[in-house]
Amino acid sequence: MTSRVKIISLFVVLFTLPALEAQGQFWKKWFDKDKKRPARQSVNPKKPAESEKKSKPNKRRVVDYPTSQLKERYRIDVLLPLYLDELVKNNKPTFKKVPDKALPSVNFYEGIKLAADSLSALGYDIDVYVHDVTQAGLTPEAMVTSEILSESDLIIGTLQSEYLPTIADYAKKVKINFISALSPSDADIKDNPFFTMLQPTLETHCDKVKSVALRKYPSKPILLFYRTSNSVDSQAYSIVLDGDEKTFEKISCETLPNRYALEKLLDSNSSNVIIMPIVDVSYAETVLQHLSTMFPAYRFEVFGMPSWKFMGAIRKTNALPNIGVTFTSPFYYDLTTKEGKTVAAAYKKEFGGKPSEMVFRGFDIMFWYSSLLSKYGTVFNEKMGDVRNAYFTRYDIKPQWDHQQDLLYNENEHIFIYRYQSGSYFVEQ
């Protein structure tokens, strides 16, 4: 580890962990930045007209990567918005609890630190440099123009969408990989085989939850609860509806659904299946509670959004007793496994307390990508199917293509399926 990382660790150890709800709001904000993404080939695309079939270019999906550089020692640069100038004065924190805006990156850094220590113990020859992108001389633009990243072999960042193109363009130019570890926004990046999104887009999540619902209940009528007054919810609704307009009975949730209108569509003797592409956690929870209260004797299977992972009601035994809730998430960390216990123990020793999901994510990402870099060199893209050294997540990184078969970027398509019922849950890989 470099001295820079060690200096930051003295600051990070002073942080305390926040309430879980802050993460839910964080998800909502990130998906809100994904509004203007370019059209790409959908899992369930609409059937094209005959004229469109004839004019569609016949392109092969091929990505040509340059020869990888193998080195004795590699450098990884980690870009995080830590807000150190604002949150630390005279080497002392200016707060009692970590602000929401800094928390994900702080926790991510803690995971990076633990992974780097583990990699060092295993004999990996890697230097890790952590940069606080909120500092004046370390913004993405400043780092690119001043060539701070000129020796980098891999860049990992938890950056907002507006900063992604700057680093992605630089990574493409110098032919090293840039891993966007947090944002589900592609920032309108195209034709960049060196840009990878680990957080699947809203489109990928919606396609997955719809496919799971249709697979599990192929012969049952499915209700589609939606609202369009919220921009993100409207986008999610459009994605779910795409190509399947006749499959669903659509129910507007601009206001809470009317009991008498809804009762005509429900079955009192069997589970009622609902897809609810409402990303806003608070409003989605209100709709579920309304549904459970209106029809306490009915059974429901509701398929929702990844932001629902931070919904309080699903964790309460008696909150939604007649509703099974299913949603997607790209990450799952089981603290009962050997790996989970190892990271939790290391975190308690290093920082105190229990690690959050972002700690595990930082550890997971750093460990796997360090393995790829050390094994295959700087251009490991064609070897990303090798997940043998993935500590928790078996990532499924795939190139994404638009409707003209032109390359967009790489995206992680591995998604876990969570199902909650009466406070208990299980996870499908």
Side-chain angles (χ1 to χ4, degrees):
M1 295 293 287
T2 68
S3 58
R4 178 176 180 81
V5 174
K6 292 177 182 176
I7 290 172
I8 293 178
S9 69
L10 293 177
F11 163 70
V12 175
V13 77
L14 298 173
F15 282 120
T16 57
L17 295 177
L20 187 62
E21 285 74 16
Q23 291 282 7
Q25 289 301 314
F26 177 75
W27 272 73
K28 178 185 173 184
K29 291 174 183 177
W30 272 121
F31 277 123
D32 193 37
K33 300 177 185 299
D34 197 30
K35 299 174 189 175
K36 297 181 180 180
R37 59 189 315 277
R40 71 175 188 189
Q41 196 157 27
S42 173
V43 173
N44 295 299
K46 294 180 180 180
K47 186 176 181 181
E50 197 64 33
S51 59
E52 291 178 317
K53 291 182 182 179
K54 294 178 181 179
S55 61
K56 184 176 180 180
N58 184 23
K59 293 183 180 178
R60 293 180 60 212
R61 292 184 171 186
V62 177
V63 182
D64 294 320
Y65 289 104
T67 302
S68 183
Q69 296 183 44
L70 295 171
K71 301 182 177 182
E72 292 184 359
R73 192 169 190 87
Y74 296 92
R75 168 171 168 161
I76 299 177
D77 286 82
V78 182
L79 314 185
L80 307 174
L82 290 167
Y83 302 94
L84 296 184
D85 288 343
E86 177 182 341
L87 302 181
V88 178
K89 302 294 183 183
N90 299 320
N91 293 322
K92 295 182 180 180
T94 60
F95 53 87
K96 293 183 179 180
K97 188 177 78 169
V98 185
D100 289 349
K101 65 179 181 180
L103 179 68
S105 290
V106 169
N107 290 162
F108 190 84
Y109 161 76
E110 292 171 330
I112 291 285
K113 174 67 166 61
L114 296 178
D117 291 344
S118 296
L119 291 164
S120 179
L122 291 171
Y124 281 76
D125 293 320
I126 293 176
D127 294 319
V128 180
Y129 288 78
V130 176
H131 309 276
D132 176 11
V133 297
T134 64
Q135 295 183 337
L138 294 176
T139 64
E141 293 81 3
M143 280 191 286
V144 169
T145 56
S146 63
E147 297 189 350
I148 291 177
L149 303 174
S150 62
E151 301 297 321
S152 184
D153 299 306
L154 172 66
I155 303 172
I156 299 174
T158 62
L159 303 179
Q160 296 182 19
S161 57
E162 59 263 36
Y163 299 121
L164 296 178
T166 298
I167 301 299
D169 289 346
Y170 177 79
K172 180 181 178 181
K173 178 182 177 181
V174 299
K175 295 179 175 57
I176 63 171
N177 282 285
F178 168 40
I179 311 302
S180 177
L182 192 61
S183 175
S185 172
D186 59 27
D188 201 27
I189 293 170
K190 305 175 183 178
D191 189 28
N192 194 333
F194 293 96
F195 174 62
T196 298
M197 299 171 56
L198 290 188
Q199 173 63 264
T201 61
L202 181 60
E203 180 177 353
T204 299
H205 280 288
C206 288
D207 285 341
K208 183 67 174 182
V209 80
K210 180 172 70 172
S211 67
V212 170
L214 293 174
R215 172 172 57 82
K216 290 191 173 183
Y217 299 97
S219 59
K220 291 187 71 67
I222 297 180
L223 304 181
L224 180 60
F225 281 24
Y226 72 95
R227 68 170 182 166
T228 57
S229 57
N230 177 285
S231 60
V232 188
D233 294 344
S234 179
Q235 182 189 8
Y237 166 61
S238 298
I239 296 170
V240 171
L241 195 62
D242 184 25
D244 290 290
E245 289 84 353
K246 297 181 180 180
T247 302
F248 310 113
E249 181 72 38
K250 296 180 283 293
I251 306 296
S252 173
C253 289
E254 302 299 341
T255 58
L256 295 176
N258 179 275
R259 171 188 173 87
Y260 300 103
L262 193 56
E263 189 172 18
K264 299 176 183 178
L265 302 172
L266 299 179
D267 185 346
S268 60
N269 298 313
S270 180
S271 292
N272 296 277
V273 183
I274 299 171
I275 296 179
M276 192 186 301
I278 296 179
V279 179
D280 185 327
V281 182
S282 178
Y283 191 73
E285 184 171 356
T286 299
V287 174
L288 291 178
Q289 291 172 334
H290 179 67
L291 189 65
S292 181
T293 302
M294 280 195 303
F295 303 100
Y298 287 59
R299 289 175 290 144
F300 298 92
E301 288 292 335
V302 181
F303 293 80
M305 298 287 97
S307 53
W308 291 19
K309 187 175 183 179
F310 305 99
M311 183 183 291
I314 62 175
R315 292 178 173 78
K316 300 176 182 178
T317 304
N318 300 318
L320 302 168
N322 58 331
I323 299 180
V325 174
T326 298
F327 56 84
T328 55
S329 177
F331 306 103
Y332 171 62
Y333 306 106
D334 188 350
L335 273 67
T336 66
T337 63
K338 176 183 177 182
E339 293 79 7
K341 291 178 180 178
T342 298
V343 173
Y347 184 86
K348 184 176 182 180
K349 180 179 179 181
E350 180 78 17
F351 301 106
K354 296 181 180 180
S356 70
E357 179 177 301
M358 289 303 297
V359 173
F360 283 101
R361 199 182 301 188
F363 186 99
D364 202 20
I365 292 169
M366 174 59 71
F367 199 92
W368 183 53
Y369 276 105
S370 294
S371 169
L372 292 177
L373 193 63
S374 298
K375 193 172 183 179
Y376 299 112
T378 56
V379 185
F380 49 74
N381 302 65
E382 294 177 318
K383 303 296 184 179
M384 285 192 289
D386 183 356
V387 294
R388 286 172 291 182
N389 285 336
Y391 209 79
F392 291 102
T393 308
R394 298 300 185 260
Y395 295 99
D396 184 18
I397 311 298
K398 298 287 181 62
Q400 303 298 315
W401 311 83
D402 64 15
H403 289 293
Q404 302 302 314
Q405 306 303 312
D406 292 323
L407 176 70
L408 296 173
Y409 44 80
N410 300 306
E411 180 182 340
N412 171 35
E413 295 184 358
H414 182 89
I415 294 180
F416 294 94
I417 306 299
Y418 284 69
R419 184 184 183 278
Y420 274 81
Q421 178 79 59
S422 300
S424 299
Y425 74 97
F426 67 86
V427 180
E428 296 179 15
Q429 297 215 28

